[in-house]
Amino acid sequence: MEYEDIIQQVIEFLGTFAFAISGIRHAAAKHFDWFGGYVCGIAVAIGGGTIRDVMLGTTPFWMTNPFYMICTALALIFVVIFAKHIEGLRNTWFVFDTLGLALFTIAGIQKSLVFGQPYWVAIIMGCITGSAGGVIRDVLLNNEPVIFQREIYAMAAVLGGITYWLLDYCGITIEVTVIASFVVTCLMRFLAVRYHLSLPILKEES
């Protein structure tokens, strides 16, 4: 297995755990049972990657390795055991959601490049990988999808993808490129929420 493949798998595993926890926490806020929480965790963890793989014409990643299902189960156990501690941490779900967004954006970009897609397609695929799972989660929970809210979400993934592209174009090592893309995506999301940054709102004519 090549070094880049190992990095991609590690990123996908970490992203799965982070996103699964985010989905399970949202389900807990709606007072779902354990199975409902697991379903929401799965939806966030594999939703975006599944759409990406279907568009790339390959077998969805979770169908080739049971680890993703196991990882989501571990996330459920983690939330159940440490529920009281997690509740005591302000905006913990937001942190996990942001980490998952950044990690899955990178994973989506890397897999698209492996399949020979140009960078503009890879950035779009990274955005889909990072944000589509959250849309599925919100639909299941009957919430307004976060990408349609004022806060910056998908655009953070796009900026992280552009960062990845620019650094790779400049010949920067894969390690530095991945870290920089991760930091930009997370930082953009954190700053947007902290300072209430958002894109201009569409206004209908009066």
Side-chain angles (χ1 to χ4, degrees):
M1 182 179 295
E2 295 184 0
Y3 184 63
E4 289 79 6
D5 294 334
I6 295 176
I7 292 179
Q8 180 182 340
Q9 288 194 1
V10 170
I11 289 172
E12 289 197 355
F13 290 159
L14 293 175
T16 298
F17 190 76
F19 257 175
I21 289 179
S22 170
I24 294 166
R25 289 293 304 121
H26 278 80
K30 291 279 188 174
H31 304 293
F32 281 24
D33 62 16
W34 288 15
F35 180 75
Y38 183 80
V39 171
C40 287
I42 283 289
V44 185
I46 71 173
T50 299
I51 295 174
R52 172 203 65 205
D53 289 346
V54 170
M55 295 179 72
L56 290 175
T58 186
T59 303
F61 66 103
W62 58 270
M63 296 178 67
T64 61
N65 191 336
F67 183 85
Y68 300 97
M69 298 297 179
I70 298 172
C71 186
T72 302
L74 293 175
L76 175 62
I77 294 172
F78 177 85
V79 172
V80 170
I81 294 177
F82 298 103
K84 293 182 179 180
H85 301 285
I86 292 177
E87 287 294 341
L89 299 177
R90 185 180 179 184
N91 294 328
T92 299
W93 68 265
F94 165 74
V95 174
F96 279 111
D97 191 60
T98 300
L99 295 178
L101 173 67
L103 291 167
F104 267 31
T105 296
I106 296 170
I109 292 172
Q110 291 183 328
K111 190 161 189 177
S112 300
L113 294 176
V114 169
F115 275 76
Q117 297 296 330
Y119 253 110
W120 67 271
V121 173
I123 293 173
I124 294 174
M125 289 298 181
C127 183
I128 290 174
T129 307
S131 61
V135 174
I136 297 173
R137 173 204 65 206
D138 291 336
V139 170
L140 290 175
L141 295 173
N142 198 30
N143 294 331
E144 180 184 9
V146 68
I147 65 170
F148 297 144
Q149 298 175 20
R150 291 188 61 183
E151 64 182 61
I152 292 177
Y153 189 77
M155 280 305 301
V158 172
L159 292 175
I162 293 175
T163 300
Y164 192 107
W165 172 39
L166 292 175
L167 293 181
D168 185 61
Y169 181 79
C170 293
I172 306 300
T173 62
I174 183 66
E175 295 87 355
V176 174
T177 298
V178 166
I179 293 173
S181 179
F182 176 84
V183 170
V184 168
T185 304
C186 291
L187 189 60
M188 187 65 224
R189 179 96 168 101
F190 290 143
L191 291 176
V193 172
R194 173 65 177 82
Y195 295 103
H196 307 289
L197 304 176
S198 64
L199 297 175
I201 299 175
L202 288 173
K203 298 180 180 179
E204 62 179 356
E205 297 181 3
S206 56

